[in-house]
Amino acid sequence: MPLPNVLKTPPLFQKLQWILDPVRYMESAVQQYPDLFTADIVGFGDTFVFVQHPEAIQAILTQDHTKFFASGRDNTLLQPLVGDQSLFLLEGQNHRQQRQLLVPPFHGSRLQTYAQQICTLTQMQLSQLLPQQPFIARSLMQQLTLEIIIQVVFGLSHGDQYSQLKQLLTALMDLFRSPLTTSFLFIRSLQKDLGTWSPWGRFLQIRQQIDTLLFTEIAVRRAHPNLDRTDILSMLLLAQDETGQTMSDRALRDELMTLLLAGHETTASALTWGLYWIYKTPGVREKLQYELQSLGDAPNPLEIARLPYLSAVCSETLRITPVAMLTFPRVVQEPIELLGYPLDMGTIVMGCIYLLHQRPELYPNPKAFKPERFLDRQFSPYEFLAFGSGARRCVGDALAMLELKLVLATLVSQAEFELVDAQPELPRRRGVTLTPSRGVKMRLVS
Ligand code: HEM
């Protein structure tokens, strides 16, 4: 059966455009096909369908897995980074079991213990900024979110292991800082080890150093178990499957890598976008400051996290500039119709978060930053999709939202900033995510 709304552009050109300028690629495709289209881009399979209509998104993400399977093997693009036993690549029963283990520590009362740490770490970063000295917000936010996730996952906040891990993870992620340097993830033929001067060689070298650190930490923790520790690694070390089997070192390494990478890259970009929109859009900073002042001098972090305008600013940031462009793939299990288009078994479909969030009937004047949208109406999980939905919904959604609210609230209430650069920031690929093209140059005024 022919695939629906196949783009006419030659596949090679599509692949290059998807790697080098994904936003232009999606925006030009949606002009032709507003609700869904078939893309031919590298890294996932021969062809797959981008879906940006809310009803169709609801169908692919929530119908039972006998119709749309939340596959893991189609995430092989991420395999070199996180390994075969990462939650990203697991599927079926193994995936469900691993999620049952990982979701609780990132939600509910456990989150409260992270709230104060987030505020303290933000204040420490803030205290290192010099007045009038320009800084790149993306770099500062990356340092901060890395510190937060290392503390949540390992319970580490200082020491050699901590400093080395921070430095190596930053170096690893900086390999993906531009669309060009990201190409080797998408183009297999570039995955050649030609020594440390080649991108792939450098990638393998840094990955090896990180692995050594992670395996050492796992061995130390196994040798000296401490039941009082509440970090994620301690919990994973104790976890057993139904046969009483604990996780192997390799499985632990893959999961740690997944949480460390997914848990700081995305949040760093989201925070940078948040700062950009707050200081770019007239009136937003003032409204935030006014709302924050209403809580008095030393507000409880959880009270801050409940503030409506602050929450709306964070949601609108993830709406207008979503860090994740797409959900993970879902695979059609039996011939089915989506919005009247027939799809064969085996077709790969993905929710297109970026295009969904640009639909004018949901978000009038979609290119304008307007937090009030989120105060005026409630959006369904298929209209606002920043964290995906269903079987693969983001495990760290609540932690990410908490970080967004508390970091932005701390910065906005405790200092005055301004943007240094009047030029608009455009969304640019960084790995598989979108980040501000120049990283947002700012200055601490006082
Ligand atoms: C603003 C920050 C973040 C954004 C925008 C984001 C977005 C997403 C999206 C769109 C998905 C795929 C959902 C789907 O296919 O339905 C996802 C999955 C995932 N995210 Fe996040 N994420 C963020 C932060 C985090 C954090 C802080 C963590 C961990 C601490 C995390 C861990 C994960 C994991 C492990 C998955 C895979 C879930 C699975 O396969 O079952 N993410 N995220």
Side-chain angles (χ1 to χ4, degrees), residues 61 75 87-90 95 99 102 106 149 152-153 255 258-260 262-264 266-267 270 318 322-324 326-330 353 385-397 399-401 403-404:
L61 298 184
N75 277 332
L87 191 66
F88 289 160
L89 281 102
L90 295 179
H95 175 249
R99 271 185 76 90
L102 287 176
F106 285 105
I149 200 70
V152 169
V153 172
E255 222 53 289
T258 305
L259 297 173
L260 287 170
H264 88 280
T266 44
T267 325
L318 290 171
V323 178
L326 299 167
T327 66
F328 286 146
R330 307 302 199 260
I353 302 170
L385 193 67
F387 296 103
S389 195
R392 285 198 180 269
R393 184 180 163 90
C394 178
V395 163
D397 56 351
L399 175 65
M401 274 313 252
E403 283 186 60
L404 276 180

Side-chain angles (χ1 to χ4, degrees), residues 44 49 66 79 134 161 174 184 238 245 249 277 318 405:
F44 301 96
V49 179
T66 57
Q79 193 275 347
Q161 289 279 98
D174 279 351
F184 70 81
L238 294 174
Q245 197 73 9
D249 285 2
W277 290 116
L318 290 171
K405 291 174 187 173

Side-chain angles (χ1 to χ4, degrees), residues 272-287:
T272 313
W273 280 122
L275 287 170
Y276 173 70
W277 290 116
I278 291 170
Y279 290 92
K280 182 85 182 161
T281 319
V284 174
R285 175 182 55 85
E286 291 81 352
K287 280 190 204 155

